[in-house]
Amino acid sequence: MTEQQRLNAIAAPLLAWYDEHKRTLPWRGTRDPYRVWVSEIMLQQTRVAAVLPYYQRWMDELPTVEALAAVDEERLMKLWQGLGYYSRARNLQKAAKIIAAAGAFPESYEALLGLPGVGEYTAGAVASIAFDQPVPAVDGNVLRVAARVAELREDIMDAKARRRIRGLMDGAVPPDRPGAYNQALMDLGATVCLPNG
């Protein structure tokens, strides 16, 4: 079996596992790109348990991209206080102003990449979860899972290895459930396929 075949072969069993074992999180079960995007930005370098109360408060006060675009900076920083990396909150608001001015959330992976603070992982997560685009969302957990499944021996922290895995993942995302597939990989990497496991 090739590396690509090994990765492709896990889609069906992985989705079956996810359907039975997925974590219940407040940003799951929605395809609202705003909610998916905010959760993904909050989860950058922050544990899920720490994000949960912040996400709820944020959504109670800023339930739409327009509300985020309009909130004053002092209140924005107060809502973010304790999550750290404050540039994430500032970039969220910069992007919200762009989205609000455009009148719609960008739907393509490429357009999402053009937003302040949105990199390949976040663009892939939002595009696949909110818009059903078959693009990967490759974070550290997904790199680790993919490397183990494909039986790659390279250091996943090496930029060349990361690009290679990203390329393999491009061909592995099932077109019928891309968002669920990406979330399944995230859950598997966060709960089962742990570092040094």
Side-chain angles (χ1 to χ4, degrees):
M1 243 190 210
T2 67
E3 295 159 348
Q4 190 68 64
Q5 288 169 328
R6 285 189 197 101
L7 282 170
N8 293 356
I10 68 162
L14 177 66
L15 286 165
W17 172 84
Y18 179 70
D19 288 341
E20 189 173 338
H21 300 286
K22 67 182 162 201
R23 295 178 289 179
T24 302
L25 301 168
W27 48 84
R28 293 253 171 103
T30 182
R31 294 183 46 165
D32 177 348
Y34 174 69
R35 290 176 175 267
V36 174
W37 169 56
V38 169
S39 73
E40 292 298 343
I41 297 295
M42 285 185 171
L43 288 164
Q44 290 172 1
Q45 301 170 335
T46 309
R47 293 176 303 103
V48 168
V51 166
L52 289 168
Y54 286 92
Y55 179 82
Q56 196 55 58
R57 279 194 301 272
W58 184 281
M59 287 303 159
D60 288 345
E61 191 156 333
L62 305 173
T64 65
V65 73
E66 293 80 11
L68 171 55
V71 72
D72 69 78
E73 188 175 0
E74 185 179 342
R75 186 62 193 148
L76 177 73
M77 291 299 120
K78 191 72 175 161
L79 285 169
W80 196 267
Q81 189 175 354
L83 274 176
Y85 304 100
Y86 286 88
S87 62
R88 292 184 294 168
R90 289 186 189 94
N91 281 331
L92 269 169
Q93 188 170 50
K94 283 181 198 167
K97 288 178 179 180
I98 292 167
I99 296 163
F105 219 96
E107 295 185 19
S108 75
Y109 172 80
E110 293 76 15
L112 287 160
L113 272 177
L115 294 174
V118 174
E120 289 183 352
Y121 167 78
T122 303
V126 175
S128 65
I129 296 166
F131 301 113
D132 264 343
Q133 291 189 16
V135 293
V138 182
D139 67 354
N141 284 331
V142 173
L143 282 167
R144 185 175 59 257
V145 171
R148 287 179 182 171
V149 169
E151 298 178 15
L152 301 175
R153 301 289 176 245
E154 297 137 282
D155 177 4
I156 63 170
M157 299 316 289
D158 176 71
K160 188 176 168 188
R162 291 169 90 101
R163 280 193 302 277
R164 184 156 169 251
I165 293 170
R166 162 99 190 160
L168 290 168
M169 294 309 297
D170 268 330
V173 179
D176 57 330
R177 295 183 67 195
Y181 176 81
N182 282 329
Q183 291 177 96
L185 281 171
M186 294 173 211
D187 275 14
L188 186 68
T191 63
V192 178
C193 188
L194 303 171
N196 307 316

